[in-house]
């Protein structure tokens, strides 16, 4: 099977065949969370999207160094020249150290990622642990003439940069539009122009987190951390930079400008962006009352939720949509995802009920080809899931004896299904986990009871047969009678 993996490159606005800079090694940097609050539904989509990319690249044989940063303390959100860092503000209000706040929410983020079966990245650097690297990159940009110092702060000179390079390449904006849509700040004396952005900011007296630098005691600009940390751990030229579409401008646009100003070229070869999650067609936000944390989703504790939804339901919900399409949350959509996931897991379980034949009327390589072609086409997880659902029907036909499969082909089919469902899509059988290890622990008891029921039926002891069946049903075991016996499944 000869297929080529393609990714949509936001920078070039087209699908491109993936060709690593230094094969088989792949460097991937993804913007992680700012840890000042509980992880929410908006965190789930990029986490699952880039976990899928990480898993698939590894399945193709690449050695992936996956770096996902933690934005903890120090910066002002979105380069504001006024205001207060959100973590510092929470620390001040709750009389805690900023690092206590950052650590608390980082741990909660990690627990949520574990629940979603998101693999840990290769490296997870913190912005506050890389101040020296950020200061060094600010020096480079200053030395190359693309920044200026003003009253202890350092700003990126967008006009100067735009004369030699183009500012706005990633987002498709031109400087004239940016100028027209940028609000001039009254009484602002530090910046030369309102659209210049901070590389280093002098700390106000009330700002808790600050570090010494050649220019002032202060803190780095928001964009600087990703440019500096990606260069440190992946080199000055690496393969993939990812993140949510909301980061495209200004964050990723400014990253490109910083890296190019420092080294003469952009750092990333492929820029990959997942689209947003909306709730009933509206953007998620606390002010709109539709902001849902992952903990609320798992427990069902939110006025918009009709029920709790398991972590794998959320993961499956995300995977059912292509990562570049808008994903709209609703109870109906999550309930549909829950039913779809249950159907898929029952199909996986049914693989163990198939009895091999002397010949095959089905070819498992068809499933392998469809899943591989789907994921090779810009990580098209919905098409891969569609192929798996089609084969759930085939699996049920094999169980019922309507199709035949040899023992060798059956082992191949089991391997393909397990590889794509569990290893690549990253799903887990939650019902098996909840039962303390799954069906294997209850199988001997159920088989014993079903044997007793078969004997009762043979002796025409219908009340006893019905009593055994009803008892199993009450225990969450559904019994299905067949011509040559019966089958069962955990509901």
């Amino acid at each position: 099977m000869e297929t080529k993996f393609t990714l949509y490159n936001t920078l070039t606005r087209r699908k491109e065949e993936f060709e690593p800079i230094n094969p088989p090694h792949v460097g991937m940097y993804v913007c992680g969370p700012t840890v000042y609050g509980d992880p929410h539904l908006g965190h789930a989509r990029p986490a699952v999207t880039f976990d899928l990319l990480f898993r698939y690249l590894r399945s193709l044989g690449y050695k992936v160094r996956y770096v996902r940063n933690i934005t903890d303390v120090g910066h002002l959100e979105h380069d504001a020249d006024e205001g207060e860092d959100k973590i510092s503000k929470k620390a001040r209000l709750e009389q805690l150290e900023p690092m206590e706040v950052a650590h608390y929410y980082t741990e909660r983020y990690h627990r949520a990622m574990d629940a979603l079966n998101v693999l840990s990245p290769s490296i997870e650097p913190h912005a506050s642990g890389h101040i020296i690297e950020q200061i060094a990159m600010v020096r480079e940009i200053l030395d190359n003439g693309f920044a200026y110092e003003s009253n202890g702060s350092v700003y990126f000179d967008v006009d100067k940069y735009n004369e030699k390079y183009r500012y706005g390449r990633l987002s498709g904006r031109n400087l004239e539009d940016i100028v027209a849509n940028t609000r001039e700040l009254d009484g602002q004396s530090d910046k030369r122009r309102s659209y210049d952005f901070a590389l280093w900011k002098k700390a106000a007296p009330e700002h808790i987190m600050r570090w010494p630098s050649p220019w002032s005691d202060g803190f780095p600009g928001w964009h600087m951390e990703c440019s500096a940390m990606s260069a440190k751990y992946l080199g000055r030229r690496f393969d993939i930079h990812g993140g949510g579409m909301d980061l495209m401008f200004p964050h990723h646009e400014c990253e490109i400008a910083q890296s190019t100003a420092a080294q003469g070229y952009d750092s990333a070869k492929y820029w990959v962006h997942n689209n947003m999650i909306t709730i009933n067609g509206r953007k998620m936000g606390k002010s709109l009352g539709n902001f849902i944390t992952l903990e609320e989703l798992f427990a069902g504790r939110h006025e918009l939720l009709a029920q709790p939804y398991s972590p794998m339901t959320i993961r499956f919900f995300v995977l059912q949509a292509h990562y570049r399409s808008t994903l709209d949350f609703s109870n109906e959509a999550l309930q549909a995802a829950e039913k779809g996931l249950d159907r898929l897991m029952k199909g996986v379980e049914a693989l163990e009920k198939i009895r091999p034949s002397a010949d095959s009327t089905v070819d498992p390589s068809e499933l392998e080809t469809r899943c591989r072609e789907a994921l090779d086409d810009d990580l098209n997880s919905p098409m891969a899931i569609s192929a798996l659902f089609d084969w759930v029907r085939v699996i049920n036909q094999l169980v019922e004896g309507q199709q035949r499969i040899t023992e060798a082909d059956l082992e191949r089919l089991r391997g393909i299904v397990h590889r794509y469902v569990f290893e690549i899509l990253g799903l887990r059988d939650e019902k098996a986990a909840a039962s303390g290890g799954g069906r294997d622990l209850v199988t001997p008891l159920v088989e014993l009871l079903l044997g007793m029921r078969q004997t009762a039926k043979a002796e025409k002891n219908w009340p006893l047969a019905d009593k055994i069946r009803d008892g199993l049903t009450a225990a969450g075991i559904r019994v299905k009678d067949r011509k040559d016996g019966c089958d069962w499944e955990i509901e």
Side-chain angles (χ1 to χ4, degrees), residues 171-191:
S171 60
R173 308 181 187 205
N174 59 58
L175 190 55
E176 290 74 22
D177 291 337
I178 294 170
V179 171
N181 291 297
T182 301
R183 179 174 60 91
E184 291 290 344
L185 299 177
D186 294 335
Q188 178 165 251
S189 58
D190 287 356
K191 287 185 182 183

Side-chain angles (χ1 to χ4, degrees), residues 293-452:
T293 70
L294 290 174
E295 187 176 281
E296 288 171 332
L297 275 166
F298 301 157
R301 292 196 309 265
H302 192 282
E303 61 182 12
L304 293 179
L305 299 174
Q307 65 182 74
Y309 295 101
S310 74
M312 285 304 98
T313 298
I314 303 302
R315 185 178 180 102
F316 191 69
F317 169 66
V318 171
L319 292 170
Q320 278 188 307
H322 191 274
Y323 76 90
R324 287 195 290 115
S325 65
T326 302
L327 179 58
D328 190 48
F329 160 90
S330 67
N331 279 289
E332 293 75 17
L334 279 180
Q335 287 165 354
E338 186 176 62
K339 290 177 182 176
L341 177 62
D342 183 61
R343 179 182 162 208
L344 182 59
M345 289 304 163
K346 285 178 178 175
V348 174
E349 185 179 324
L351 282 167
E352 304 307 315
K353 307 171 188 174
I354 297 172
R355 295 169 183 169
S357 301
D359 64 332
S360 292
T361 57
V362 297
D363 182 3
S365 62
E366 190 262 348
L367 174 61
E368 169 76 19
T369 299
R370 287 182 62 187
C371 288
R372 175 72 184 270
E373 287 179 346
L375 294 176
D376 276 348
D377 183 16
D378 192 28
L379 220 61
N380 197 329
S381 56
M383 290 302 295
I385 290 171
S386 175
L388 287 165
F389 276 146
D390 286 345
W391 271 79
V392 167
R393 286 196 293 270
V394 174
I395 290 167
N396 290 333
Q397 290 169 353
L398 288 165
V399 171
E400 298 295 333
Q402 298 169 10
Q403 299 268 21
R404 300 184 304 279
I405 191 168
T406 65
E407 188 168 355
D409 281 346
L410 178 57
E411 285 307 304
R412 274 207 306 143
L413 177 59
R414 286 170 176 161
I416 291 166
V417 170
H418 279 258
R419 178 169 174 251
Y420 280 95
V421 172
F422 299 120
E423 296 175 22
I424 295 176
L425 294 179
L427 297 168
R428 275 196 294 236
D429 188 341
E430 290 173 313
K431 289 186 178 178
S435 65
R439 180 180 172 128
D440 288 344
L441 294 179
V442 299
T443 296
L445 179 59
V446 173
E447 296 291 354
L448 175 63
L449 290 169
L450 290 177
M452 293 169 61

